[in-house]
Amino acid sequence: MSTITINGQTLTFAPDSTVLETALAHGIDIPRLCYHPALKPSGGCRLCMVEIEGRPNPAPSCGLACQEGLVIRTESDQLTTMRRDILDLFVSEHPMTCATCDKDGACDLQRYANQFGIMETTLGFEPARTLYQDDNPFFVRDHQYCILCGKCVRVCNEVVGMSAIDYAGRGFDSHIATPFDGLMVDSSCVFCGSCVQICPTAALVPKVRIGQGREAEFETKRTICGYCGVGCSLEFKLKDERAIYARGFPEAPVNGEFLCVKGRSGWDFVSSPERLTQPLLRKDVAYALGLASEPWKLPDTSPLKTHGRDNFLPISWEAALEIVATGFARVIGEFGADAIAGLTSARCTNEENYLFQKFMRAGIGTNNVDHCARLCHSSSVTGLGMAFGSGAMTNPIEDIRHADCILITGSNTAESHPVISYEVVRAVNAGANLVVIDPRRTPMVDHASLWLQPAPGTDVYVFLAMAHVIVREGWADQPFVAARTEGFDAFAAGLLEYTPEVAALHSGVPASKIELAARLYALGLRNDAAALVQDPDSFATPATRGNSTILYAMGITQRKNGTELVLCLANLAMMSGQIGRPYTGVNPLRGQSNVQGACDMGGLPDVLPGYQKVTDAEKRRAVARGWGLEDLPPELGLTVVEMMHAAVDGRLRAMYVMGENPMLSDPNLTHVEEGLRALEFLVVQDIFLSESAQLAHVVLPAAASLEKDGTFTNTERRVQLLHPVLPAPGEALPDWVILMQLATKFAEKINGGREEPRSQVRWHYASQSEIMDEAATVTPSYGGMSYARLAGAGLTWPCPTREHPGTPILHREKFTRGLGKFHAVHARHPAEQTDAEYPLILSTGRVLYHYHTGTMTRRSEGLDWREPRGYAEINPVDAASLNLRDGGPVVIHSRRGQVRTQARLSNNVQPGVVFLSFHWKESPANVLTQDFALDPYAKIPEYKVSAVRLENPSKRAK
Amino acid sequence: MSNATSQRKYVYRGDPIIEAPPAELGAILERHLGERDALITALEEVQRHYGYLGQDHLRYVARTLGFPLARVFGVATFYNLFVFDPPGKYQVRVCRGTACHVNHSGAILDHLCDRLSIAVDETTPDGRFTLQTVACMGACSLAPVVVVNEETLGRMTPTAAWEALQALDGDETTVRDASATQNG
Ligand code: SF4
Ligand code: SF4
Ligand code: SF4
Ligand code: FES
Ligand code: FES
């Protein structure tokens, strides 16, 4: 083992580590200001100087590589003098106003100045920089406190990948600057706050932190971010029960100190005055029940255009639960249990999802339970299930950083999964190749060594041609294919016709790029040869295969042939042997905080917890017995889109919606509204009066994720504990408490009329921990989980027993289904084709600053400040023919409706393609999307391709 | 987020460079596509062509060559060979080479700064004169020398130089019209 000597101690060091890292790893502290473990050393502050035996001069330890036998001293009179001189220089420019500074007690400069007794300069104080930049709601840059350590510049380059700021000017004028010293908002800054987090001084301070007092007075509470599926850990700083600001922390298992703008700054919606604080009863129901004196009728105006607060009267919890339980019981009595459907929520905890589906199945007695995963990754669940036997990310997020080649397709990673994009940026900065296959120029393309831009809906040709090339060139991993998979020969035979030339013809991607992508991916090549992209032939095939990973998201899944596209990616991974090892895999990036968990817990119409098919009598009965019943309903339930159809034609009479907003998220909104209005009884449980809640008969106020405990399962299958940070407002209750009380009340009502011994079913729990304990008994992959074991970094499923350590990497020795199965796939065109009347293709998607239907993010002042309205990206060529102005209005028409929004001219989209974000109810993208072309396996609608035309509504159009 | 309300919400102002770059700029950048260390050379060439680096020039350099705009700005402001304002119609360069120096070109420079009310490397607010210094124009026999655009004026005195500039005003034919290079 290799060792060095520091201060007389002999210490082992990790390969490629520096003297500073080794010292820190062994608990030896060396003063340092510009070092950060996630960043390349810059050697800028020189505070970390150490003496090296046999060398005349000290050197910065942060950049000093460990070598066998190195003898180091970190403390000496000479070093102390040097450090004092350095600090003296800093302090000669930096006002030591510590007593009143927001960074007091958390500032590295203050700490070292104290330690070395240089609280005042001996050189004469002269401030070098005076600029105070207060141009955004997220943070302030006060240049007089800046010591030019460059950590903010490096984190923005090396981790965030935005490069929004850099050193500018020279000598005395040097400072950290945005382009042209302009506003942050005019730079490429994404307000992630990573620079603020790691700035050693008060030069960067969160705005909400200013004037709130000393860090030491704050209380600290940690929980998991409630937005996306990355599952970042947040640390809240509180004072007097009020959250002051949020930050990352180094031990956070997924994200370390880094977060995105939503996680760091987008949680203020919880204290919005619009939060629901009392159960609400719609006025017409109140009248019918004799609780209101005036008759009333629900207005016909679409909830997209109203706020609906006047539709309701507040009632007590007791009354509300009574009305809901009676309502459900009545519908069952009249129309049967299958006339009721429930939407569970990807934003609620595992325990709540478990309880919700248990209520639907064991309480109501139907499999009509689904949630919006149907609309995002159901094709991953089916496709990866068919190929591998398990439909989730195969590898952990941290594997991405060590991959040699990363293939991203149909994922706007930087905006939808920001913290995962940081891992990609770090990999690329370390020399990995990034191949992006996407019709739209997403921010990831800036980091790509190769970008393939297929016309929308034609990427299937590109994938098939890549597979064709891999077979043709002999790049397939024959030993892996032979030992671990089946069906390869039939699959390979089906590839013959899909040459790169054929693919080029359909997709518009040059054949040479397809060949290069196939090569980079299959062989896992690094970007070490700069000439690679220009001259692929200069690059010799290495003896050993590198590691390639695939990241994909809704650009693949929200398609008519979504399952087949997922199979294409699975085929590529298996034929190249890029799965079942660290740093490889096929990784669907899941959208919402607990969408993985909502699926795991059986919030789907065809499976029970742990993906046990409802049609599998043996497994179904086992779950039933676990719940104290003989059996459960055996028929498949309705999916989200089918529910809306069934509501319109009267097969469905009542719905229970927990934390979902189909009025904005589902395709063909006009039809959804028709369906919800047709229901006899609609119960919505949410934190805000969402567009869907406005149509409800009863609205139940729920607690937000920051206000409760429970667990979320992130996109890498890591189950993590939440902790309440704030109290819930008013009478709002955690969803699990509401469910428990409702189910108990409902059981009392229904038991009289039924023969089954429903009273055996347990509906009462003292805590979510108890719910997890029960869920573990019926969910094999969660079998070994309990709150005690989940503390800390959580556990990754499958974790079948109490001793099992969890499974970060799936399919290692064998696939979940045994052998990996190749499926022959044939190219299909999107369901809706363009024609003379609707000549353009519309694709929908997300923007960084908003989440889902905007119920949370639009009530966050900072996020709403940055992107207050929706917009469409339109290629300048298409804009020119209509005289559309950049920033001006545009109306988009499809066969189903029209939407008015802001036009942004952009070369991110090809001519003929329009991109529209879906978060805004003023410009609801899903009025335009279609719900008729569902993927045959997963029933997912094709959000990504609709035919549209544009209209210029302004008078000056002509 | 109590501070947020003080901020005006973000207003999309359009992409300043949605159009393709002007042909000459495009041609310059074309030559450096794919070169990783071409930033300074490209900036030099752009400045040589336009006489200065405008904001949109830097934006096109960044976007076309794939460098972050903040880095392009940082690099451009680090080297003092780059200027960011369009040059005046008349570029007045006072020689500070040895021969001119011993013949009191310093006094000429001071006088012109004083009369034009600008410092070296600045342009008069009306855009007429940019004042610069050079180190030896290779015309030492004529020292001290002042060069206005392409025209070399020898054996200058402070007053003669100032009069020469004043005389230029009505008589544009004696110097090459620099305004043609100003439109970026
Ligand atoms: S702003 Fe902070 S992180 Fe950035 S250079 Fe200045 S002191 Fe360092
Ligand atoms: S907030 Fe994030 S994107 Fe903006 S400058 Fe800081 S690190 Fe860069
Ligand atoms: S990346 Fe996702 S989980 Fe992480 S802070 Fe942002 S929204 Fe939250
Ligand atoms: S920490 Fe090593 S030079 Fe700053
Ligand atoms: S010193 Fe002025 S021209 Fe040579």
Side-chain angles (χ1 to χ4, degrees):
Chain A
M1 210 180 309
S2 329
T3 57
I4 59 172
T5 307
I6 302 184
N7 299 345
Q9 281 175 265
T10 305
L11 305 171
T12 57
F13 63 87
D16 297 326
S17 64
T18 61
V19 169
L20 178 60
E21 285 163 349
T22 307
L24 293 176
H26 290 91
I28 300 172
D29 198 32
I30 301 177
R32 61 202 179 276
L33 279 169
C34 68
Y35 165 81
H36 188 279
L39 306 177
K40 297 194 190 100
S42 79
C45 75
R46 310 197 85 72
L47 213 57
C48 67
M49 292 285 220
V50 293
E51 290 173 351
I52 309 155
E53 196 173 278
R55 294 199 206 165
N57 297 316
S61 58
C62 63
L64 186 63
C66 286
Q67 281 166 16
E68 179 62 51
L70 218 50
V71 178
I72 300 290
R73 280 170 65 88
T74 71
E75 303 292 336
S76 73
D77 290 348
Q78 181 198 13
L79 290 172
T80 303
T81 311
M82 289 177 82
R83 289 176 184 147
R84 287 179 61 109
D85 290 348
I86 292 165
L87 289 164
D88 204 355
L89 264 174
F90 280 132
V91 171
S92 74
E93 289 186 350
H94 178 110
M96 297 304 277
T97 55
C98 304
T100 56
C101 179
D102 286 310
K103 200 83 178 196
D104 182 19
C107 171
D108 291 345
L109 183 62
Q110 180 191 30
R111 180 155 56 94
Y112 292 126
N114 260 322
Q115 187 181 329
F116 289 88
I118 308 281
M119 286 305 281
E120 217 168 307
T121 177
T122 61
L123 303 168
F125 177 70
E126 187 182 0
R129 293 163 283 276
T130 50
L131 211 58
Y132 182 79
Q133 283 178 305
D134 168 22
D135 59 15
N136 69 80
F138 303 104
F139 54 84
V140 167
R141 184 185 295 275
D142 190 347
H143 289 255
Q144 62 174 335
Y145 293 110
C146 176
I147 57 169
L148 296 182
C149 71
K151 274 159 102 174
C152 54
V153 172
R154 284 181 286 143
V155 77
C156 197
N157 279 326
E158 296 174 23
V159 176
V160 183
M162 281 301 150
S163 305
I165 44 177
D166 211 327
Y167 288 101
R170 53 183 295 144
F172 206 62
D173 283 340
S174 6
H175 62 291
I176 307 296
T178 52
F180 316 117
D181 285 316
L183 303 177
M184 282 313 299
V185 76
D186 288 335
S187 74
S188 49
C189 176
V190 292
F191 300 103
C192 69
S194 303
C195 52
V196 183
Q197 169 102 24
I198 68 170
C199 175
T201 70
L204 287 168
V205 174
K207 205 149 194 188
V208 286
R209 167 79 185 72
I210 291 175
Q212 298 292 340
R214 306 191 60 222
E215 202 72 13
E217 291 161 18
F218 296 159
E219 192 188 347
T220 301
K221 287 187 179 174
R222 291 176 173 179
T223 191
I224 304 296
C225 175
Y227 282 112
C228 86
V230 178
C232 299
S233 301
L234 299 175
E235 180 173 282
F236 279 85
K237 295 289 181 181
L238 299 104
K239 191 174 166 184
D240 309 328
E241 313 235 310
R242 220 162 30 89
I244 304 294
Y245 75 110
R247 59 200 300 275
F249 54 95
E251 316 84 76
V254 178
N255 56 305
E257 288 180 86
F258 308 116
L259 294 165
C260 81
V261 63
K262 293 186 290 296
R264 197 181 292 275
S265 308
W267 42 268
D268 51 324
F269 70 88
V270 293
S271 48
S272 158
E274 293 175 62
R275 280 290 298 276
L276 295 174
T277 55
Q278 278 176 295
L280 300 175
L281 186 62
R282 208 167 79 191
K283 285 178 178 167
D284 47 351
V285 188
Y287 179 73
L289 294 172
L291 297 171
S293 49
E294 301 272 312
W296 186 87
K297 195 176 154 298
L298 181 67
D300 289 333
T301 332
S302 163
L304 297 172
K305 301 203 165 66
T306 58
H307 57 72
R309 285 189 283 271
D310 306 329
N311 298 4
F312 300 93
L313 296 175
I315 50 168
S316 70
W317 269 113
E318 182 60 31
L321 293 173
E322 177 70 29
I323 293 168
V324 174
T326 317
F328 287 155
R330 186 185 54 76
V331 171
I332 294 176
E334 261 177 71
F335 306 100
D338 287 333
I340 302 187
L343 291 181
T344 185
S345 176
R347 284 182 261 178
C348 289
T349 63
N350 285 318
E351 294 74 7
E352 290 162 344
N353 276 286
Y354 172 80
L355 209 53
F356 188 93
Q357 61 85 36
K358 183 180 177 189
F359 174 61
M360 293 308 294
R361 294 193 157 110
I364 305 266
T366 177
N367 280 317
N368 290 340
V369 53
D370 204 4
H371 68 285
C372 66
R374 173 72 44 211
L375 307 175
C376 60
H377 267 297
S378 52
S379 30
S380 295
V381 174
T382 50
L384 297 183
M386 286 156 74
F388 306 150
S390 178
M393 257 177 95
T394 59
N395 287 60
I397 293 170
E398 71 173 322
D399 269 17
I400 298 169
R401 198 186 307 170
H402 307 289
D404 299 306
C405 175
I406 301 168
L407 172 66
I408 298 185
T409 180
S411 158
N412 180 2
T413 322
E415 296 195 72
S416 301
H417 300 89
V419 170
I420 292 186
S421 80
Y422 303 168
E423 296 294 330
V424 177
V425 169
R426 291 170 84 164
V428 169
N429 282 334
N433 265 310
L434 172 61
V435 179
V436 175
I437 304 180
D438 205 301
R440 177 161 171 254
R441 186 185 171 107
T442 69
M444 290 325 286
V445 173
D446 290 345
H447 304 280
S449 30
L450 184 64
W451 175 35
L452 277 52
Q453 189 182 23
T458 64
D459 48 358
V460 60
Y461 286 100
V462 174
F463 300 139
L464 289 169
M466 282 173 68
H468 175 104
V469 173
I470 292 172
V471 173
R472 187 187 72 194
E473 299 297 323
W475 294 331
D477 186 339
Q478 290 303 347
F480 184 90
V481 168
R484 300 280 312 270
T485 67
E486 59 182 330
F488 181 75
D489 292 339
F491 157 71
L495 292 172
L496 273 180
E497 59 185 286
Y498 296 105
T499 62
E501 290 70 25
V502 166
L505 211 61
H506 287 279
S507 66
V509 179
S512 60
K513 283 196 175 183
I514 297 177
E515 285 167 352
L516 182 53
R519 175 173 189 172
L520 296 181
Y521 174 74
L523 303 179
L525 301 185
R526 290 183 79 73
N527 191 7
D528 295 334
L532 174 66
V533 175
Q534 274 83 29
D535 182 12
D537 294 333
S538 71
F539 206 73
T541 302
T544 55
R545 216 175 271 269
N547 298 313
S548 297
T549 183
I550 297 178
L551 310 181
Y552 74 92
M554 258 128 275
I556 293 296
T557 58
Q558 288 181 340
R559 302 274 293 279
K560 183 192 74 177
N561 52 347
T563 301
E564 291 181 349
L565 287 163
V566 171
L567 286 171
C568 279
L569 300 178
N571 290 339
L572 281 172
M574 287 190 291
M575 71 195 299
S576 313
Q578 298 290 8
I579 186 159
R581 287 202 312 278
Y583 324 135
T584 64
V586 180
N587 296 298
L589 306 181
R590 311 288 310 245
Q592 305 197 55
S593 47
N594 195 34
V595 64
Q596 183 66 53
C599 293
D600 298 345
M601 289 295 122
L604 298 168
D606 54 339
V607 292
L608 295 159
Y611 303 97
Q612 308 178 80
K613 294 243 178 307
V614 296
T615 47
D616 181 332
E618 199 176 315
K619 292 197 170 135
R620 186 183 68 239
R621 291 208 183 96
V623 173
R625 277 192 298 279
W627 292 345
L629 295 173
E630 281 298 299
D631 202 353
L632 290 165
E635 310 83 26
L636 296 183
L638 297 175
T639 63
V640 171
V641 178
E642 289 168 341
M643 286 177 195
M644 296 307 156
H645 290 306
V648 171
D649 61 29
R651 279 176 291 137
L652 203 63
R653 299 290 172 141
M655 271 185 89
Y656 181 16
V657 177
M658 171 172 85
E660 291 250 315
N661 190 8
M663 257 316 298
L664 214 47
S665 61
D666 290 13
N668 194 357
L669 291 184
T670 322
H671 188 74
V672 173
E673 183 176 342
E674 206 184 321
L676 294 180
R677 279 180 188 273
L679 293 170
E680 281 173 30
F681 195 51
L682 173 61
V683 180
V684 173
Q685 180 169 318
D686 209 322
I687 63 172
F688 288 111
L689 197 60
S690 68
E691 289 72 23
S692 308
Q694 287 182 38
L695 297 175
H697 298 90
V698 183
V699 179
L700 305 175
S705 68
L706 286 186
E707 298 156 356
K708 59 188 173 192
D709 64 351
T711 60
F712 278 171
T713 306
N714 79 349
T715 184
E716 56 175 355
R717 295 172 282 110
R718 186 193 296 268
V719 184
Q720 306 189 92
L721 281 179
L722 273 61
H723 303 282
V725 170
L726 295 167
E731 297 173 19
L733 291 174
D735 294 275
W736 67 276
V737 176
I738 305 176
L739 279 163
M740 223 165 68
Q741 295 179 354
L742 175 62
T744 310
K745 182 140 285 190
F746 175 81
E748 289 163 13
K749 291 254 165 314
I750 202 87
N751 273 336
R754 276 208 184 149
E755 277 140 43
E756 295 154 84
R758 300 250 152 189
S759 51
Q760 313 258 320
V761 182
R762 178 178 180 190
W763 296 118
H764 187 80
Y765 307 86
S767 65
Q768 295 209 70
S769 169
E770 285 187 18
I771 305 179
M772 176 54 87
D773 291 341
E774 178 185 312
T777 62
V778 296
T779 314
S781 51
Y782 282 63
M785 299 204 185
S786 67
Y787 275 29
R789 291 196 71 199
L790 289 171
L795 281 169
T796 304
W797 68 253
C799 172
T801 63
R802 296 272 147 171
E803 295 73 42
H804 197 283
T807 315
I809 301 175
L810 294 178
H811 319 306
R812 287 196 90 142
E813 266 79 50
K814 63 184 188 61
F815 285 95
T816 309
R817 72 180 289 280
L819 293 175
K821 186 167 165 68
F822 284 97
H823 289 79
V825 169
H826 286 281
R828 284 174 207 267
H829 289 279
E832 192 164 68
Q833 299 287 327
T834 55
D835 58 18
E837 202 185 340
Y838 297 100
L840 301 163
I841 298 174
L842 174 84
S843 184
T844 64
R846 290 189 45 185
V847 304
L848 172 67
Y849 301 93
H850 290 285
Y851 173 74
H852 210 243
T853 61
T855 45
M856 288 144 58
T857 49
R858 293 197 65 196
R859 289 179 177 91
S860 163
E861 283 191 57
L863 299 177
D864 190 50
W865 168 88
R866 179 57 184 78
E867 207 64 275
R869 56 191 294 189
Y871 62 87
E873 278 185 359
I874 298 168
N875 187 280
V877 173
D878 296 322
S881 61
L882 287 166
N883 265 324
L884 288 172
R885 208 165 40 81
D886 198 6
V890 61
V891 179
I892 308 174
H893 296 263
S894 83
R895 295 191 174 90
R896 289 154 296 278
Q898 61 177 62
V899 160
R900 184 189 167 110
T901 187
Q902 181 186 56
R904 293 193 183 169
L905 306 198
S906 168
N907 291 310
N908 292 347
V909 290
Q910 290 160 294
V913 181
V914 178
F915 169 83
L916 181 61
S917 53
F918 77 89
H919 314 283
W920 285 269
K921 71 171 189 173
E922 296 82 356
S923 50
N926 287 325
V927 163
L928 304 171
T929 52
Q930 42 96 353
D931 58 353
F932 56 84
L934 301 181
D935 176 89
Y937 307 91
K939 308 278 171 60
I940 196 168
E942 192 157 46
Y943 286 103
K944 295 296 175 193
V945 188
S946 314
V948 295
R949 84 182 137 82
L950 303 179
E951 179 204 336
N952 186 342
S954 75
K955 298 211 174 53
R956 297 176 298 150
K958 305 285 141 20
Chain B
M1 287 252 155
S2 49
N3 287 294
T5 37
S6 62
Q7 309 288 333
R8 230 180 112 227
K9 281 190 187 168
Y10 170 68
V11 181
Y12 177 69
R13 279 190 289 272
D15 181 347
I17 53 165
I18 189 69
E19 305 292 336
E24 320 83 65
L25 180 56
I28 295 171
L29 299 179
E30 185 89 0
R31 292 201 291 275
H32 298 291
L33 281 180
E35 297 174 15
R36 288 188 183 208
D37 42 14
L39 180 53
I40 296 174
T41 322
L43 289 174
E44 278 174 346
E45 289 176 22
V46 174
Q47 170 150 313
R48 199 170 309 140
H49 184 83
Y50 290 99
Y52 75 111
L53 294 174
Q55 293 200 352
D56 284 353
H57 298 143
L58 295 182
R59 290 195 173 97
Y60 279 121
V61 169
R63 193 176 292 180
T64 314
L65 302 184
F67 293 101
L69 184 56
R71 184 165 318 148
V72 172
F73 176 71
V75 166
T77 52
F78 182 78
Y79 294 97
N80 53 12
L81 79 128
F82 295 117
V83 295
F84 303 98
D85 294 312
K89 185 167 168 187
Y90 302 109
Q91 193 181 17
V92 182
R93 288 179 287 174
V94 179
C95 180
R96 301 290 289 125
T98 317
C100 292
H101 177 71
V102 300
N103 283 294
H104 311 295
S105 69
I108 301 176
L109 185 64
D110 289 345
H111 190 64
L112 294 186
C113 284
D114 187 48
R115 302 268 79 183
L116 295 169
S117 302
I118 54 173
V120 175
D121 286 334
E122 286 183 2
T123 300
T124 51
D126 61 5
R128 290 225 311 276
F129 298 104
T130 299
L131 190 58
Q132 289 173 316
T133 59
V134 291
C136 189
M137 291 297 290
C140 305
S141 60
L142 298 176
V145 160
V146 174
V147 183
V148 180
N149 291 353
E150 313 281 74
E151 194 173 337
T152 307
L153 311 173
R155 308 227 164 73
M156 279 287 108
T157 62
T159 21
W162 174 235
E163 276 163 16
L165 295 193
Q166 283 177 299
L168 278 176
D169 210 22
D171 182 13
E172 295 181 8
T173 51
T174 54
V175 291
R176 192 173 62 86
D177 188 350
S179 62
T181 61
Q182 282 176 26
N183 308 323

